[in-house]
Amino acid sequence: MDNKIKSGKDVINEFFAEILNVEGTDENTVNKLIELYGDNKFTDSNIQNALEELKQEAIKPKKIKEDGEN
Amino acid sequence: MAKIKAIKINGLRGVREPLTLDLNKKSILVYGDNGTGKSSVTDSFEWFFYDKIEHLSNEEIGRRKGRDALRNIFIPETEDSFIELTFDESKLDSKKSIDSSLKSFNSNETDDFKKFIASSFSERLILRYRDLVQFIIAGKTDKLKELQNIIGFSEVQNIRDLLKRNGARIARNIKSANYDNLKNVQQSTILENLGQNAYTDEQLFDGANELVKPLKLGIEIKSRQDINIVLKKIESKEDSELLNQINFYTKIKESVAQIEGNVDNIYNSYSTFYDSFNALKKAPEKVKNLQLLSLLQEGKSVLTKDVVEDDYCPLCLQEKSKIDLIQDLNLRIEELELLNKEKEQVDNNSKDLQNSIKPNISAIEGLLTEKLFEKEEYSKLKETVEEIKISLNNHLDESKKELTEKLADKEKIKLDKKGVEELTSELVKTIKKLTESKEANLKFKTYTKLFQSAKAYVEYLKIEKEQNVLANQQATFELLYEDFIKRQEEALNVFLTMFSNDINDFYTTMNPNEKVEDIKLVPLKKNDELVGITIEYSFFNETHTPPIAYLSESHINCLGLSFFLASVKAFNKESKFFVLDDVISSFDRSHRYRFAQLLTTRFSDYQVILLTHEKEFFELVSSEVKSKGWILNNFKWTKDDGTGIERGIADIKDRIKKKIEDKNTDGLGNDIRVYTERVMKRVALEIEAKVAYRNNDINEKRMAPELLDAVQSKLTKASKELKEKANIPKIKGMPMFIGNTTSHDNSFQESIEDLEAIWEDVKGLIHNFYCSDCDKFLSFKFYDNVENKIRCGCGSLKFDWKR
């Protein structure tokens, strides 16, 4: 066996290091996942909560400006 | 990488008095009969590195990681039991102790040591016989789990599962929310009020400007703020009650329209659940057997942890090979796990059904709290709405049924789509009627229509945004999952290829010319999912799998051993040592020898601690491993001391030399006698000098006079030359050789000078029978039939010999 073998940790670290290069993904979602992994909080419930937060943030009605712009 | 200088154990398992193995980074072969405490060393070792003893961690002995059975029962409460390891890197030296309250502590608390211990969790340090074939006979799923565990891929699998699970969850949420239906409901409200759909701000503003044109307000609507300004301008407080009524009906209409758009979805979800539920129910016996799954898993655990040590079934107590039993259990467990997956699918279908119903039920429950429903005039409408809720709840109840129950027929439980459509249509008419009830009041009509369409448009945008966010999240998870599995599979394939090469190499080294070759670990996929690993090999150029079906137990053990050794090479990054505890029990003679050669040649840079209870194996490989610098030890067990080391010939010789050097006569005579007895026993064996028969262990207790007599008698018959050179009567007349078994330990008082002379004579005697050039005794194995001489291995020592 030699160094070509990657440990599980190597595979995961490489994935998160290059995750932003995966085409077609939503940047906010990916950044949130990187943050959770970095904080050692990459669990099912934390992911669900984070995704829900992102959704709520996105659909939150924006304040209508006085000049009529939405 | 670290090697061990010494192991010291005290008061752990079978070790009562301190036991020290001075290894000085060398490999060691230890022989000890069953019950002499070899496993105490392995257990203590396991506890030192892993803080548990796996085979003791069961209900019967105690679940506290085996600690309950760790301390030797004769150790005083005031005394700590311990194992102390010293390494070639002294910063790693540590003494791990456990007190009578079973509290344990390490003497080394440095980060270096903690890192070393942490890394050992991903290393392969110990192999016991009972664990040897676990991987080989395991099912494909367990093989994958086991392999992923040891290569640190369990976390990879966790991340992969998380990505997949979340992608699937979002997809289910999107499906059950039925966003297109929700958007259609809002668009139908816009269409009813504005006379056209509005998917963009421009379309909304165009429609709104058309709507307010008759009022000639002089305002052109260009923004949603403008809509608010117009609404404020034409609002009338007098019409609030009517407006409330219209809002009330609109709410009901929207909720009912949502249900209307969801009827087919609910029907389909129920059908999927119904079909999978009934398919599983068709095999009631199998379903019943699902309840046995945990029992079988526990049974397997009992067998693999060696709670039952002999070859019999712990339930029916009938004799059966343990390997066969575990293999049978693996097959049954695998079958039931498949069934369990079907059950999980039914559960998922049930959840999907619930998810598609619950939002509609919540909406109706919200409606039923409307104040207007308290009025008598709305009681009929309330009743209709409640009927829909009951129908939805019926679906919910069905989704929670157990497999033993019967599900309601799909067609019978189906929501009354026509009735729901009629209700929606009725509500639309009512709203229109109310809106136009003040036909003369253009302002009110315009206000209501503009208000409803603007509100529906905002709702439409919100739904669309939510749908887009979830669709993006779903796509993101799917893309990340695809990327991740590519990485995982690439890494796993690299590993499996290299790992397989090593396994194949080790196996074929131990089993040359047996036509079993090209052994591979092969990943198994189902629906593009990695579901397991199997072992393939070629036998007479034909591919076979799994191995258990075609290979003998000895070959399966060889495969297990090859797997472990390949793991050692792959994963031991900090520790350059490993323990093999009784791993060759089922090997035949040729496999045993090749195994020893494999260790001494291919693992010569590792420190091997090889324990065996098989005397034959010990003797077979002793010279092989000793010539490669290994240490040899015998373990013995005594009532007073528990496990200890039986002094070997080399040890006694070293001790004699040391005592003579130190002019220390204490026990020196006894040491010379014991040494002479050991050597003469070997001489008698090699030249086939006959001694009287004695049964079993007593056979081992031959006294020097008896052995010397036997050798002398043989020499008298076979070799005058050797008889004269050896001069056995001179040795036999020495004081320490005059005695019997009972006086064996009696010491006698001689001066150091006398003992030095005796030692020289003993050495002289032995040199007639032993060749230091080839490290072999004179032996019939090397008898020269041409010259009629008995020889040593290399021939530099030879004497005439009459057969």
Side-chain angles (χ1 to χ4, degrees):
Chain A
M1 302 287 168
D2 64 23
N3 293 334
K4 282 181 187 170
I5 288 183
K6 286 178 190 165
S7 70
K9 191 102 184 126
D10 295 338
V11 175
I12 297 168
N13 285 342
E14 276 179 22
F15 170 71
F16 279 101
E18 295 164 20
I19 192 170
L20 281 166
N21 300 335
V22 182
E23 280 182 24
T25 55
D26 174 54
E27 207 178 316
N28 290 338
T29 308
V30 173
N31 280 328
K32 196 47 121 179
L33 296 181
I34 294 173
E35 188 186 316
L36 287 174
Y37 179 69
D39 294 344
N40 207 14
K41 289 179 179 170
F42 203 77
T43 64
D44 227 349
S45 55
N46 286 336
I47 292 173
Q48 279 194 46
N49 291 341
L51 293 179
E52 181 61 26
E53 265 175 40
L54 285 176
K55 188 182 88 179
Q56 292 304 334
E57 183 63 31
I59 61 176
K60 195 165 70 181
K62 286 172 190 157
K63 204 177 165 188
I64 297 170
K65 292 179 183 171
E66 284 307 313
D67 60 3
E69 212 179 296
N70 299 310
Chain B
M1 289 173 76
K3 283 191 179 179
I4 301 168
K5 280 173 76 179
I7 303 172
K8 190 172 181 186
I9 301 171
N10 185 38
L12 290 174
R13 306 285 292 138
V15 183
R16 187 168 168 188
E17 292 298 317
L19 168 77
T20 303
L21 293 172
D22 285 316
L23 303 180
N24 199 21
K25 301 191 284 177
K26 288 182 181 172
S27 293
I28 184 171
L29 170 63
V30 178
Y31 163 75
D33 213 347
N34 281 330
T36 51
K38 296 179 307 300
S39 294
S40 298
V41 175
T42 317
D43 290 348
S44 306
F45 204 78
E46 183 179 350
W47 178 63
F48 183 92
F49 284 98
Y50 303 116
D51 200 36
K52 65 173 182 181
I53 303 173
E54 187 65 36
H55 72 101
L56 299 177
S57 310
N58 61 58
E59 200 71 64
E60 205 171 313
I61 302 172
R63 286 212 181 262
R64 284 187 288 186
K65 299 179 183 173
R67 272 183 299 176
D68 307 64
L70 189 58
R71 273 173 63 91
N72 184 289
I73 53 168
F74 296 108
I75 284 291
E77 284 207 354
T78 50
E79 206 176 300
D80 292 344
S81 303
F82 67 83
I83 171 169
E84 183 174 4
L85 292 186
T86 51
F87 297 90
D88 48 354
E89 296 172 50
S90 57
K91 63 182 180 183
L92 302 178
D93 295 352
S94 188
K95 181 175 172 182
K96 185 168 182 177
S97 311
I98 182 165
D99 65 16
S100 56
S101 68
L102 303 185
K103 198 176 153 198
S104 64
F105 35 93
N106 255 312
S107 65
N108 190 338
E109 293 183 333
T110 63
D111 288 344
D112 283 332
F113 179 70
K114 283 177 189 162
K115 199 175 143 231
F116 174 60
I117 291 294
S119 68
S120 66
F121 276 81
S122 54
E123 296 186 325
R124 304 286 274 167
L125 300 181
I126 302 167
L127 179 68
R128 292 184 173 89
Y129 178 66
R130 67 170 149 267
D131 302 324
L132 185 58
V133 295
Q134 293 300 341
F135 180 81
I136 309 301
I137 63 172
K140 58 181 192 282
T141 319
D142 282 346
K143 275 197 184 81
L144 178 64
K145 270 189 212 158
E146 165 82 5
L147 203 61
Q148 301 219 106
N149 263 337
I150 61 173
I151 63 178
F153 265 44
S154 308
E155 190 51 29
V156 174
Q157 190 61 38
N158 283 345
I159 302 249
R160 176 184 167 137
D161 290 345
L162 276 174
L163 293 172
K164 189 182 179 193
R165 208 164 40 242
N166 277 284
R169 185 179 50 77
I170 298 166
R172 275 204 308 275
N173 286 349
I174 292 173
K175 190 182 163 204
S176 61
N178 203 349
Y179 284 108
D180 288 341
N181 175 43
L182 297 180
K183 287 195 297 186
N184 285 341
V185 169
Q186 298 306 327
Q187 282 298 331
S188 73
T189 302
I190 295 170
L191 184 63
E192 282 151 20
N193 288 289
L194 218 53
Q196 66 173 67
N197 286 114
Y199 298 103
T200 63
D201 281 3
E202 285 67 33
Q203 289 170 342
L204 175 71
F205 304 152
D206 287 349
N209 280 323
E210 278 302 309
L211 184 69
V212 300
K213 205 187 241 177
L215 295 176
K216 295 178 182 162
L217 297 171
I219 300 170
E220 192 190 347
I221 297 170
K222 288 180 184 166
S223 69
R224 277 185 256 162
Q225 180 66 12
D226 290 343
I227 292 176
N228 288 343
I229 292 167
V230 169
L231 283 173
K232 206 159 195 175
K233 205 167 174 112
I234 60 177
E235 185 183 14
S236 163
K237 282 184 183 160
E238 293 159 25
D239 304 322
S240 63
E241 198 181 324
L242 183 58
L243 194 59
N244 275 346
Q245 254 186 315
I246 293 170
N247 283 343
F248 170 69
Y249 278 110
T250 306
K251 262 190 199 169
I252 298 171
K253 186 221 81 174
E254 283 178 354
S255 293
V256 175
Q258 272 177 33
I259 294 166
E260 185 190 324
N262 213 16
V263 168
D264 291 340
N265 196 19
I266 292 172
Y267 177 75
N268 291 337
S269 293
Y270 185 75
S271 292
T272 309
F273 165 66
Y274 181 91
D275 292 343
S276 62
F277 184 97
N278 284 326
L280 194 60
K281 261 190 97 165
K282 271 184 191 163
E285 279 308 310
K286 281 186 176 180
V287 174
K288 219 182 203 177
N289 282 347
L290 262 183
Q291 295 170 43
L292 295 178
L293 184 57
S294 52
L295 175 71
L296 296 177
Q297 283 166 333
E298 189 61 29
K300 184 180 151 192
S301 158
V302 162
L303 290 170
T304 52
K305 284 182 179 172
D306 255 13
V307 174
V308 171
E309 288 188 354
D310 299 321
D311 283 346
Y312 70 92
C313 167
L315 278 181
C316 67
L317 303 180
Q318 284 186 18
E319 269 188 38
K320 183 152 187 179
S321 143
K322 198 194 274 188
I323 290 182
D324 288 349
L325 262 176
I326 295 174
Q327 195 200 347
D328 285 352
L329 284 172
N330 279 335
L331 289 173
R332 289 181 68 188
I333 288 170
E334 215 162 84
E335 193 186 333
L336 287 179
E337 278 175 345
L338 271 181
L339 196 66
N340 208 30
K341 281 223 162 101
E342 274 183 57
K343 168 90 170 49
E344 280 170 11
Q345 188 54 49
V346 174
D347 293 342
N348 284 339
N349 292 339
S350 156
K351 272 184 206 152
D352 286 349
L353 174 62
Q354 290 171 17
N355 287 341
S356 66
I357 299 166
K358 278 179 179 169
N360 293 139
I361 294 179
S362 305
I364 289 187
E365 280 171 348
L367 287 183
L368 291 171
T369 60
E370 287 286 330
K371 279 218 174 274
L372 288 181
F373 265 138
E374 289 169 14
K375 293 189 175 175
E376 184 58 31
E377 57 186 291
Y378 300 108
S379 62
K380 192 155 186 323
L381 179 61
K382 189 180 179 188
E383 208 174 286
T384 312
V385 171
E386 277 174 336
E387 274 170 17
I388 297 174
K389 187 187 162 194
I390 289 168
S391 181
L392 289 169
N393 273 331
N394 287 343
H395 283 79
L396 206 56
D397 293 342
E398 294 299 307
S399 75
K400 291 173 184 169
K401 276 189 174 169
E402 293 291 326
L403 278 167
T404 45
E405 296 173 89
K406 191 172 184 285
L407 286 187
D409 189 85
K410 286 190 259 186
E411 298 306 321
K412 279 186 186 160
I413 198 171
K414 195 176 174 184
L415 275 164
D416 176 12
K417 192 176 179 182
K418 204 177 161 202
V420 177
E421 279 170 358
E422 280 171 7
L423 178 61
T424 313
S425 159
E426 195 62 39
L427 288 162
V428 171
K429 276 184 207 159
T430 309
I431 294 163
K432 196 175 177 195
K433 196 173 147 196
L434 287 171
T435 308
E436 292 174 359
S437 62
K438 289 202 168 187
E439 191 60 51
N441 190 345
L442 186 61
K443 265 190 187 175
F444 175 78
K445 190 177 155 187
T446 307
Y447 177 89
T448 309
K449 288 191 169 184
L450 186 59
F451 176 79
Q452 295 298 349
S453 44
K455 186 169 156 279
Y457 180 71
V458 169
E459 193 58 30
Y460 168 81
L461 288 184
K462 189 182 157 201
I463 294 164
E464 189 172 60
K465 210 173 253 178
E466 189 171 323
Q467 185 182 22
N468 287 340
V469 170
L470 289 184
N472 280 339
Q473 288 182 350
Q474 184 197 349
T476 299
F477 273 86
E478 284 169 355
L479 289 166
L480 294 181
Y481 177 71
E482 264 175 45
D483 183 83
F484 193 77
I485 54 172
K486 255 187 227 156
R487 289 169 189 275
Q488 183 194 16
E489 285 175 12
E490 269 172 26
L492 193 63
N493 282 335
V494 169
F495 168 75
L496 289 180
T497 306
M498 305 188 82
F499 197 55
S500 299
N501 287 344
D502 271 354
I503 293 175
N504 185 57
D505 185 15
F506 299 149
Y507 181 85
T508 50
T509 302
M510 284 190 277
N511 302 275
N513 310 318
E514 290 193 11
K515 299 292 175 200
V516 173
E517 48 203 7
D518 207 14
I519 299 165
K520 279 184 209 159
L521 296 179
V522 183
L524 296 173
K525 282 182 159 188
K526 192 178 173 187
N527 302 331
D528 251 9
E529 273 290 303
L530 187 63
V531 290
I533 281 182
T534 189
I535 301 174
E536 260 183 27
Y537 65 95
S538 148
F539 186 55
F540 283 98
N541 299 323
E542 219 176 278
T543 303
H544 290 273
T545 186
I548 190 84
Y550 305 101
L551 298 181
S552 70
E553 189 176 337
S554 173
H555 288 96
I556 288 168
N557 284 338
C558 262
L559 204 49
L561 202 49
S562 304
F563 173 77
F564 176 82
L565 293 174
S567 314
V568 167
K569 286 223 163 185
F571 307 118
N572 290 19
K573 305 291 180 205
E574 300 288 334
S575 308
K576 201 76 181 176
F577 52 84
F578 57 93
V579 179
L580 298 172
D581 187 350
D582 254 345
V583 291
I584 46 79
S585 289
S586 70
F587 285 20
D588 55 32
R589 198 177 166 87
S590 62
H591 283 111
R592 290 173 175 198
Y593 196 71
R594 287 194 207 106
F595 163 63
Q597 279 185 322
L598 179 74
L599 289 181
T600 54
T601 54
R602 312 294 284 281
F603 289 84
S604 57
D605 51 339
Y606 283 82
Q607 185 181 27
V608 186
I609 299 169
L610 180 57
L611 310 168
T612 181
H613 78 278
E614 304 220 9
K615 187 90 174 169
E616 193 205 3
F617 172 69
F618 181 76
E619 283 167 354
L620 179 73
V621 303
S622 286
S623 57
E624 166 69 26
V625 300
K626 199 179 171 191
S627 68
K628 302 289 190 307
W630 286 41
I631 300 167
L632 303 183
N633 258 167
N634 280 15
F635 270 19
K636 61 173 185 176
W637 186 89
T638 62
K639 198 176 158 192
D640 292 336
D641 299 341
T643 299
I645 295 167
E646 196 169 26
R647 293 286 168 196
I649 294 174
D651 283 340
I652 301 173
K653 194 174 174 185
D654 288 344
R655 202 163 62 219
I656 293 168
K657 279 184 188 167
K658 183 84 173 46
K659 283 183 181 174
I660 289 174
E661 205 179 293
D662 297 344
K663 308 281 181 205
N664 173 12
T665 58
D666 186 21
L668 180 55
N670 264 337
D671 286 344
I672 294 173
R673 181 173 61 194
V674 171
Y675 178 75
T676 310
E677 279 169 5
R678 294 272 176 93
V679 178
M680 290 317 291
K681 197 156 77 178
R682 181 72 187 269
V683 169
L685 178 76
E686 297 292 346
I687 66 169
E688 297 181 358
K690 290 191 170 50
V691 288
Y693 171 78
R694 285 181 190 167
N695 199 22
N696 297 332
D697 285 353
I698 307 167
N699 192 43
E700 300 296 313
K701 294 177 183 168
R702 301 286 179 178
M703 298 295 296
E706 183 189 0
L707 291 161
L708 290 166
D709 280 346
V711 171
Q712 174 74 354
S713 166
K714 184 78 181 183
L715 296 183
T716 304
K717 286 177 199 158
S719 178
K720 195 179 166 194
E721 184 193 4
L722 183 53
K723 184 183 168 189
E724 281 172 9
K725 280 198 84 176
N727 195 5
I728 287 174
K730 182 184 175 190
I731 300 291
K732 210 189 150 198
M734 290 173 178
M736 74 273 285
F737 300 125
I738 302 169
N740 51 40
T741 309
T742 52
S743 66
H744 196 267
D745 292 328
N746 288 349
S747 58
F748 56 94
Q749 294 302 314
E750 299 292 337
S751 69
I752 188 69
E753 290 76 17
D754 289 339
L755 289 165
E756 272 176 5
I758 290 168
W759 177 235
E760 285 307 312
D761 285 344
V762 167
K763 281 199 295 183
L765 167 73
I766 291 165
H767 277 147
N768 291 305
F769 296 94
Y770 169 76
C771 171
S772 54
D773 292 343
C774 62
D775 191 27
K776 297 274 190 300
F777 281 82
L778 285 181
S779 174
F780 267 118
K781 278 187 279 188
F782 313 119
Y783 189 79
D784 185 335
N785 282 309
V786 179
E787 291 189 36
N788 287 332
K789 285 179 187 291
I790 192 165
R791 302 172 34 186
C792 66
C794 66
S796 42
L797 194 64
K798 56 184 172 186
F799 297 97
D800 291 335
W801 195 272
K802 282 186 208 162
R803 296 203 75 163

